[in-house]
Amino acid sequence: MGLYTSVMEEISFYTGLSPAAFFTILAMMVVVYRTVSGMFVSPEDYNKPPVVSARANSRLDESEPPREPVQLGEITDRELRAYDGSDPSKPLLMAIKGQIYDVSNGRNFYGPGGPYAMFAGKECSRALALLSFKPDDINGNLEGLGEEELTILEDWEFKFIEKYPKVGQLIAEQRTRQNEFKEQTQDNLDNPNECKEEEK
Ligand code: HEM
């Protein structure tokens, strides 16, 4: 009891404050310190990836090493749809002006539950140019866009070129059908007997 009283007296003597005021100010200083220091990143955490919300990150396995982007070459709009994040084993892709980007590193934006998930697996030029989320605008049709909108689209394109690896180009469905047809015709020419047998 004697120690308690003498500590309180010392506090009043050295600070000129009542013990209650002293402890209130001390508590406020701790709160302010914790709040302010929480606003800064400690040097050890500086190189760590940003923490994304559990919802947006639900499909990300921390132990999974980052995947190397796979070059896909030419694929169609329809084939691109398979890369919308619904299959976690596939990369997340998105196309701008016919160029396909691997946006897997932006999974918190484009992955399932992300704010821009509607763009994954799609050609998004029109939507980005118009700053629109309308499903009808999520395509590569640039018809009727003004100069300002095309500049906006170009800014997006630069952002994507800087941030994400390019992994392929979009081609029209028709062209692949033609290619398939050509391949089939060539195959039939190379193996005329097989072709006749099939006809029988
Ligand atoms: C209320 C309006 C909007 C707000 C407050 C907003 C906010 C943001 C923020 C904070 C980011 C993260 C930026 C970064 O860390 O690099 C972002 C990214 C993005 N925003 Fe928006 N946004 C808005 C509207 C739009 C619209 C209209 C579009 C297009 C239709 C759009 C498309 C995107 C895309 C594609 C990204 C991801 C870019 C990347 O992959 O780095 N946003 N937005």
Side-chain angles (χ1 to χ4, degrees):
M1 194 64 196
L3 179 67
Y4 174 80
T5 321
S6 64
V7 169
M8 293 304 149
E9 276 169 5
E10 293 290 312
I11 287 172
S12 301
F13 179 76
Y14 284 109
T15 64
L17 298 167
S18 70
F22 172 78
F23 284 113
T24 307
I25 291 170
L26 191 66
M28 282 167 70
M29 283 166 74
V30 170
V31 169
V32 169
Y33 169 77
R34 291 187 66 101
T35 310
V36 172
S37 62
M39 290 174 182
F40 297 94
V41 179
S42 78
E44 304 93 74
D45 291 344
Y46 195 73
N47 290 323
K48 288 187 189 161
V51 178
V52 293
S53 82
R55 188 176 62 100
N57 203 22
S58 58
R59 279 172 180 265
L60 255 188
D61 181 2
E62 294 280 318
S63 60
E64 214 178 276
R67 230 190 320 238
E68 277 300 306
V70 177
Q71 290 297 325
L72 294 170
E74 294 184 332
I75 63 169
T76 65
D77 233 21
R78 198 157 15 139
E79 287 164 331
L80 181 65
R81 302 251 161 166
Y83 300 89
D84 64 354
S86 49
D87 180 351
S89 67
K90 287 197 168 85
L92 263 176
L93 305 183
M94 190 171 150
I96 299 178
K97 288 181 154 177
Q99 301 299 312
I100 304 168
Y101 299 87
D102 184 333
V103 296
S104 304
N105 285 340
R107 195 165 272 273
N108 50 345
F109 290 132
Y110 310 105
Y116 302 114
M118 72 291 270
F119 295 146
K122 305 215 180 88
E123 157 60 87
C124 308
S125 298
R126 190 173 189 85
L128 292 175
L130 294 170
L131 297 174
S132 159
F133 298 121
K134 282 195 217 147
D136 285 353
D137 289 330
I138 305 179
N139 56 57
N141 181 6
L142 304 185
E143 261 171 56
L145 296 182
E147 208 177 302
E148 205 177 312
E149 288 148 350
L150 291 172
T151 310
I152 294 174
L153 177 57
E154 201 172 43
D155 289 345
W156 281 114
E157 192 187 14
F158 290 150
K159 184 179 172 76
F160 275 71
I161 289 172
E162 261 179 30
K163 191 167 172 186
Y164 301 114
K166 210 182 267 188
V167 293
Q169 293 91 42
L170 273 186
I171 45 159
E173 197 81 35
Q174 233 180 346
R175 258 188 61 195
T176 41
R177 290 248 177 80
Q178 275 173 5
N179 287 350
E180 272 170 26
F181 179 72
K182 261 193 229 153
E183 276 162 25
Q184 186 65 50
T185 319
Q186 191 60 45
D187 213 32
N188 292 347
L189 286 172
D190 292 344
N191 308 296
N193 293 341
E194 266 178 38
C195 188
K196 273 181 199 148
E197 271 165 28
E198 266 172 33
E199 277 167 15
K200 279 180 206 165

